[in-house]
Amino acid sequence: MKKKTPPGSADLIVSSDPASTKYVNDLVEQGKSARAGADGALPPGATHEIVGETEIGVPILRRRRFG
């Protein structure tokens, strides 16, 4: 089951074209995005939280900290 877009979607990165999909996928591959832990914290080095995914399975990100 796919997650819905969370409230406050103005600060989300939702890929809508090949360039933004590449950007999101690069952040995931580089370890700069991750799901938050049970305590809400991101792992070291992660700057974006994965908060869901698009209909085609591309992660939806929210910027959480600056690297």
Side-chain angles (χ1 to χ4, degrees):
M1 183 165 128
K2 307 258 185 215
K3 291 187 177 183
K4 300 282 183 185
T5 302
S9 60
D11 60 341
L12 298 179
I13 301 171
V14 182
S15 63
S16 58
D17 57 56
S20 61
T21 298
K22 180 176 177 359
Y23 175 71
V24 167
N25 287 331
D26 286 349
L27 287 172
V28 173
E29 289 174 19
Q30 295 168 6
K32 302 238 181 228
S33 62
R35 294 199 181 273
D39 62 354
L42 291 175
T47 57
H48 293 75
E49 178 183 4
I50 299 171
V51 295
E53 59 184 34
T54 65
E55 292 177 0
I56 61 170
V58 178
I60 297 171
L61 306 179
R62 175 178 286 129
R63 183 175 202 83
R64 290 272 304 266
R65 62 172 95 119
F66 294 92

